[in-house]
């Protein structure tokens, strides 16, 4: 079911982004403003995750990538890391049936082996159960960092060179993309960051080459479906040129 707002926004024939990626930032500041513990911010942030996954499915977004835990986040206080892992596990278990019912495939990008065994176990169950779903992919970036992803890809390609499975001339952009965690997925059309910070923070650096960026001051726990829809409508007004000239200003050549 497509929302009316998006239906209206689609009247100009511009398509929705197929792949939306979100840097969910500001949970800590949200909690601080309310004189609460940071973990309360993450809990409220989980509720926003739930709402935005549901909205994405209704609207017809095909891939939603959420930056849930970065390679750098392991350096946070142990109690916060533990709380975030517990929240992730809770989400993966609690949403299992709804993901399945809504034909959403869960996928993860990042260092699976770094996750605690209990999280891995529940993650694997949900990945397996939802693996055949084709309406939407919910891509969770967990222990994800773009530099780690690229380093891993270079290592894999180097091993293939060393064993003569590959020659240097066969290293193309497509081959590099195929060695990333996001292999087989289109690059994000739109990257949203909440809480007003103007940086990518080691998120999808290769894949973001031509992504449209949208920064909102809203803190992630306060982010709503309505604002999400407004951002999608804003995206639909943009002229994506991919380094070329605009269709409307070129001679059609
Ligand atoms: C950034 O806020 C957010 C994170 C590091 C974690 C994101 C996690 C969630 C939204 C909840 C759990 C996720 C799922 C998928 C259920 P911050 O702590 O850096 O905020 P701050 O910059 O205001 O301190």
């Amino acid at each position: 079911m497509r929302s009316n707002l998006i239906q209206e926004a689609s009247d100009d024939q511009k398509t929705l982004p197929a792949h939306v990626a979100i840097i969910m930032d500001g949970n800590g500041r949200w909690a601080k403003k309310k004189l609460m513990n940071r973990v309360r911010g993450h809990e409220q942030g989980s509720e926003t995750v739930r709402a935005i996954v549901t909205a994405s499915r209704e609207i017809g977004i095909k891939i939603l990538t959420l930056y849930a835990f970065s390679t750098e986040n392991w350096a946070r206080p142990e109690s916060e890391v533990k709380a975030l892992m517990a929240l992730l596990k809770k989400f993966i278990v609690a949403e299992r049936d709804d993901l399945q019912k809504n034909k959403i495939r869960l996928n993860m990008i990042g260092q699976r082996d770094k996750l605690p065994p209990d999280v891995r176990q529940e993650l694997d169950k949900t990945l397996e159960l939802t693996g055949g779903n084709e309406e939407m992919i919910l891509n969770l970036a967990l222990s994800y960092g773009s530099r780690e992803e690229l380093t891993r890809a270079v290592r894999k390609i180097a091993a293939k060179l060393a064993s003569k499975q590959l020659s240097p001339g066969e290293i193309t952009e497509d081959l590099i993309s195929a060695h990333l965690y996001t292999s087989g997925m289109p690059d994000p059309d739109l990257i949203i960051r909440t809480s007003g910070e103007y940086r990518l923070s080691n998120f999808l650096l290769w894949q973001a080459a031509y992504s449209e960026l949208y920064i909102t001051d809203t803190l992630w726990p306060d982010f709503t479906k309505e604002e999400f829809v407004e951002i999608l409508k804003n995206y639909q007004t943009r002229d994506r040129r991919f380094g070329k000239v605009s269709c409307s200003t070129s001679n059609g050549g």
Side-chain angles (χ1 to χ4, degrees):
M1 188 186 76
R2 285 159 73 87
S3 84
N4 291 339
L5 280 170
I6 280 295
Q7 197 58 62
E8 270 171 42
S10 300
D11 283 348
D12 63 4
Q13 300 301 307
K14 293 221 180 188
T15 57
L16 280 171
H19 184 175
V20 177
I22 308 183
I23 302 174
M24 310 181 289
D25 196 13
N27 293 349
R29 272 161 288 169
W30 181 91
K32 194 172 172 196
K33 259 180 37 183
K34 296 188 154 23
L35 306 178
M36 290 171 172
N37 183 293
R38 291 178 59 80
V39 173
R40 263 301 293 135
H42 296 314
E43 281 169 4
Q44 200 57 40
S46 297
E47 295 303 319
T48 308
V49 169
R50 215 184 299 272
I52 297 304
V53 171
T54 306
S56 298
R57 173 68 175 84
E58 280 177 14
I59 291 163
I61 302 296
K62 286 293 163 194
I63 306 177
L64 176 69
T65 299
L66 299 177
Y67 204 7
F69 195 91
S70 73
T71 46
E72 291 74 24
N73 287 156
W74 293 113
R76 291 194 175 198
E78 197 187 331
S79 57
E80 186 173 343
V81 170
K82 272 199 172 148
L84 274 167
M85 288 298 139
L87 271 176
L88 277 169
K89 181 174 154 185
K90 193 172 157 200
F91 176 86
I92 288 161
V93 174
E95 297 306 302
R96 192 173 281 150
D97 289 346
D98 274 358
L99 291 173
Q100 185 61 6
K101 200 170 71 198
N102 293 313
K103 301 189 173 62
I104 300 173
R105 168 149 57 99
L106 183 71
N107 188 58
M108 88 151 274
I109 57 172
Q111 300 168 296
R112 181 188 169 281
D113 294 350
K114 287 261 166 91
L115 301 173
D118 58 325
V119 176
R120 262 190 336 237
Q121 199 180 9
E122 297 300 345
L123 181 66
D124 287 348
K125 275 195 208 164
T126 308
L127 291 175
E128 197 183 316
L129 177 74
T130 64
N133 294 338
E134 289 185 351
E135 283 303 317
M136 180 178 135
I137 296 174
L138 170 61
N139 216 12
L140 288 186
L142 302 175
S143 190
Y144 173 86
S146 216
R147 289 183 171 187
E148 188 280 330
E149 177 183 45
L150 283 162
T151 306
R152 175 179 170 271
V154 169
R155 211 176 279 135
K156 286 185 168 195
I157 292 170
K160 289 183 185 171
L161 286 174
S163 64
K164 306 252 185 276
Q165 278 174 267
L166 262 185
S167 66
E170 289 175 306
I171 301 175
T172 59
E173 291 185 10
D174 283 348
L175 183 106
I176 293 171
S177 293
H179 285 79
L180 301 178
Y181 291 122
T182 49
S183 169
M185 289 180 202
D187 290 338
D189 300 294
L190 171 65
I191 298 180
I192 300 169
R193 180 168 189 147
T194 58
S195 92
E197 308 283 356
Y198 284 73
R199 54 178 174 267
L200 284 175
S201 299
N202 204 11
F203 186 50
L204 303 176
L205 300 182
W206 172 273
Q207 299 87 335
Y210 282 102
S211 303
E212 293 294 319
L213 305 180
Y214 192 104
I215 316 286
T216 168
D217 285 338
T218 306
L219 305 175
W220 178 250
D222 288 331
F223 191 70
T224 60
K225 171 184 171 167
E226 287 70 28
E227 183 171 7
F228 187 48
V229 169
E230 287 308 317
I231 294 172
L232 296 175
K233 283 166 72 175
N234 172 285
Y235 166 87
Q236 290 178 308
T237 65
R238 296 192 188 185
D239 182 18
R240 299 188 75 197
R241 294 191 295 279
F242 299 94
K244 301 173 190 138
V245 289
S246 161
C247 292
S248 52
T249 54
S250 74
N251 299 328

